[in-house]
Amino acid sequence: MFKALWLVVLAVSLTACGAGSFKVDREEYRQRVRTLGVVPLLVDGNSHLNHPRSQEITELLRRSSASQHKHLVEMLKEKKGYFDVRPVVGNSGALFGRLIQGRAWQEGEHGPYHGYSFNAQTIAELTRQGNTDALLVIVLNGAVRNAKRWDRTHLSYLEAPFNSILASASVVLPSGEVLWEYQAGESFLDLQYPAFDEAYYNHEEEVAVRFITLAGLERQIQEPGRKWLQDAVLARPYQELFDRLAAELKPGLLNPFQSSGASQ
């Protein structure tokens, strides 16, 4: 159903609800996760990717996300919430098969999302190799969920099911226990759009939902964000995702005179 909304008064909230959830209190988290390993971004090609070019989109995500986790490592270091943050070495495709044990469609505070379970043996092996206490695992996955999309004038919107790429994330101990989870509050990459102009020029009440072309998705995922590490420019989708994760993953400052058990 097409809805039009004329905005008379616009209320702006400066504080957004976080999509991260600590499974233990922050003090316990600080004690158990002093040195954090960040895994290369994983891509779940078997999730709800209903786009006609789904296989190519999966490859696009794998290519574009290669080595991006190193930027997140630097962001987390700047927050000074850990004794150390270290990138995990490995191939994203191979790591997905070794790390991911299961997937479940779950209802969260910000809408449904994919929650993942992990192979404890692989987690233990990678934490031992990297000399870390836990791993941050991020999975890019396809999902269909209801969303409100506005037209370019921000005067009209369509509320309907849209296919998009979400990001699920977890901090996992060597035992497989999840201490923190990110419930994909925001879309990482939109795969569909409402054709408002098409409905307008055809004098139609119903607004069709169209797929963004593969070329359009490539431009979307390569759109530059802010400068990062002086000369480097981080792509906007990754910049926004990493900003949210770094803001959510703040257990508080560690005592700088205490060393990590995994770092010794």
Side-chain angles (χ1 to χ4, degrees):
M1 173 65 67
F2 174 67
K3 300 179 181 178
L5 179 64
W6 296 94
L7 302 178
V8 179
V9 179
L10 179 63
V12 179
S13 173
L14 297 178
T15 55
C17 294
S21 173
F22 285 92
K23 306 298 183 183
V24 296
D25 66 64
R26 293 179 185 240
E27 178 58 32
E28 181 180 348
Y29 181 93
R30 283 195 295 269
Q31 295 302 318
R32 299 176 75 179
V33 186
R34 293 171 176 267
T35 300
L36 180 66
V38 180
V39 174
L41 272 68
L42 308 180
V43 180
D44 187 353
N46 292 321
S47 52
H48 296 94
L49 273 167
N50 298 336
H51 196 285
R53 309 288 291 274
S54 59
Q55 187 171 351
E56 290 159 289
I57 291 172
T58 298
E59 291 306 315
L60 170 64
L61 291 171
R62 286 175 178 154
R63 289 197 310 273
S64 69
S65 63
S67 299
Q68 294 281 5
H69 67 300
K70 295 177 182 178
H71 297 301
L72 179 55
V73 167
E74 297 304 319
M75 287 184 179
L76 289 170
K77 284 183 176 181
E78 285 186 351
K79 298 292 184 181
K80 302 185 186 302
Y82 300 87
F83 177 81
D84 197 10
V85 185
R86 301 170 181 173
V88 172
V89 178
N91 175 272
S92 172
L95 284 172
F96 183 90
R98 296 178 57 206
L99 275 169
I100 302 302
Q101 191 166 266
R103 176 185 65 227
W105 189 236
Q106 301 175 181
E107 194 66 41
E109 286 184 40
H110 304 275
Y113 69 101
H114 283 124
Y116 290 87
S117 57
F118 306 94
N119 185 310
Q121 182 176 349
T122 302
I123 296 286
E125 178 185 337
L126 292 175
T127 54
R128 184 173 62 253
Q129 289 176 353
N131 203 21
T132 60
D133 297 311
L135 299 183
L136 172 59
V137 184
I138 304 165
V139 185
L140 301 179
N141 57 85
V144 178
R145 62 182 185 180
N146 287 330
K148 184 185 290 185
R149 300 282 175 85
W150 294 84
D151 70 357
R152 287 180 288 112
T153 67
H154 292 281
L155 297 176
S156 302
Y157 69 87
L158 175 70
E159 189 165 5
F162 288 94
N163 196 193
S164 60
I165 301 298
L166 303 180
S168 300
S170 303
V171 172
V172 194
L173 292 176
S175 63
E177 180 186 357
V178 174
L179 292 188
W180 175 90
E181 185 179 48
Y182 177 75
Q183 299 179 358
E186 302 288 338
S187 168
F188 173 78
L189 192 70
D190 294 330
L191 300 181
Q192 292 181 300
Y193 69 95
F196 288 109
D197 287 345
E198 180 182 309
Y200 173 80
Y201 286 110
N202 287 315
H203 299 278
E204 295 176 343
E205 287 294 319
E206 295 294 325
V207 177
V209 175
R210 305 294 189 202
F211 284 105
I212 300 173
T213 65
L214 182 63
L217 292 172
E218 288 178 341
R219 287 189 286 268
Q220 187 182 159
I221 206 168
Q222 292 169 1
E223 182 182 346
R226 67 170 184 269
K227 284 189 176 181
W228 177 247
L229 294 178
Q230 295 183 341
D231 298 328
V233 176
L234 193 58
R236 184 188 58 78
Y238 291 101
Q239 173 201 312
E240 293 180 351
L241 172 62
F242 292 168
D243 282 345
R244 290 194 295 269
L245 293 177
E248 295 284 351
L249 267 173
K250 293 191 303 183
L253 293 176
L254 286 174
N255 184 338
F257 300 104
Q258 291 181 328
S259 61
S260 167
S263 307
Q264 293 176 349

